Amino acid sequence: GENVEQHPSTLSVQEGDSAVIKCTYSDSASNYFPWYKQELGKRPQLIIDIRSNVGEKKDQRIAVTLNKTAKHFSLHITETQPEDSAVYFCAASPDTGRRALTFGSGTRLQVQP
Amino acid sequence: SAVISQKPSRDICQRGTSLTIQCQVDSQVTMMFWYRQQPGQSLTLIATANQGSEATYESGFVIDKFPISRPNLTFSTLTVSNMSPEDSSIYLCSVPGGGSNTEAFFGQGTRLTVV
């Protein structure tokens, strides 16, 4: 089955700096890669996603890049703000069939004001 | 998008007892997923619940411990049986997006504490 590895486990940045979180996956059948933000006590919320036919996608301060050959994808947050502090999870799944998500281990991002 | 109502939102249970968690979706969905999130950990898939057939369990999860019902296309239950403190986790149900929408939607989660 799919295995998703995520690094780093914790990340502390100063407000206004950029943050980068990296993930690798193992199953070449995966072609959908979402990123979730989870605040304490809340459900995961989708912040951005990318499909394998796209190399990069951007939404305001958030961007995701995908290297399908190397089986890795990354989340980039620019101009970080204290409200970006949360746990971020990457995930992978096929976009057909069962479509269950396999999650990475999570990154706790702390943005220092 | 899909709206999922999950209950209870939290519970404290005695060891050896069982708890049934319910998820109601506002639209018909073929598949529903149940995840477990242990304290400070990631989400791990427990099983896939399909209407009209037995649930499919992931490695490490068994039907006797986590029986699942899926009586129709908008509802599912997960029971955590014969609980021990190690079962203390957040349990979440999820549905995939429909058609070309691949976004997954989550219930608000059930925070279970076993004492």
Side-chain angles (χ1 to χ4, degrees):
Chain A
E2 176 65 275
N3 180 50
V4 179
E5 296 191 356
Q6 182 172 346
H7 301 280
S9 58
T10 61
L11 181 58
S12 181
V13 300
Q14 292 293 318
E15 183 177 358
D17 287 351
S18 295
V20 180
I21 303 170
K22 299 182 178 182
C23 288
T24 61
Y25 64 99
S26 61
D27 190 350
S28 56
S30 290
N31 48 19
Y32 174 64
F33 307 94
W35 286 88
Y36 285 86
K37 176 182 181 182
Q38 188 176 34
E39 297 175 325
L40 190 64
K42 296 188 176 181
R43 78 189 83 186
Q45 294 284 353
L46 179 73
I47 56 171
I48 196 167
D49 57 11
I50 192 167
R51 284 178 146 170
S52 60
N53 58 349
V54 176
E56 183 173 358
K57 183 177 178 181
K58 189 173 181 180
D59 182 4
Q60 299 183 349
R61 297 186 297 108
I62 295 173
V64 57
T65 59
L66 171 66
N67 184 328
K68 195 166 172 63
T69 301
K71 294 194 180 72
H72 66 71
F73 56 113
S74 300
L75 177 71
H76 304 253
I77 305 174
T78 59
E79 301 172 25
T80 53
Q81 303 166 1
E83 51 265 38
D84 294 329
S85 298
V87 179
Y88 292 81
F89 294 99
C90 62
S93 83
D95 66 1
T96 57
R98 194 177 68 146
R99 294 159 65 183
L101 293 169
T102 300
F103 285 85
S105 53
T107 297
R108 182 173 301 277
L109 174 64
Q110 182 71 40
V111 180
Q112 306 288 347
Chain B
S1 66
V3 177
I4 304 174
S5 175
Q6 182 175 345
K7 58 182 180 181
S9 58
R10 60 177 62 227
D11 208 342
I12 300 173
C13 300
Q14 295 291 323
R15 67 175 67 202
T17 63
S18 298
L19 175 72
T20 295
I21 302 167
Q22 300 180 3
C23 267
Q24 179 75 51
V25 188
D26 67 344
S27 58
Q28 294 185 339
V29 291
T30 304
M31 288 177 288
M32 292 181 73
F33 304 114
W34 287 97
Y35 291 88
R36 180 177 73 181
Q37 188 173 25
Q38 294 177 301
Q41 303 296 314
S42 184
L43 288 79
T44 300
L45 182 67
I46 298 172
T48 302
N50 296 303
Q51 194 270 335
S53 64
E54 291 277 337
T56 303
Y57 289 83
E58 298 300 300
S59 176
F61 298 96
V62 295
I63 187 171
D64 289 347
K65 177 67 176 177
F66 298 101
I68 287 170
S69 77
R70 186 78 202 279
N72 57 54
L73 291 173
T74 64
F75 188 79
S76 179
T77 68
L78 170 76
T79 299
V80 186
S81 302
N82 188 24
M83 289 183 286
S84 66
E86 293 70 37
D87 295 319
S88 297
S89 294
I90 298 172
Y91 294 85
L92 298 108
C93 60
S94 174
V95 301
S100 60
N101 177 13
T102 42
E103 177 179 356
F105 300 95
F106 289 88
Q108 62 264 52
T110 296
R111 182 179 295 273
L112 171 63
T113 302
V114 183
V115 297

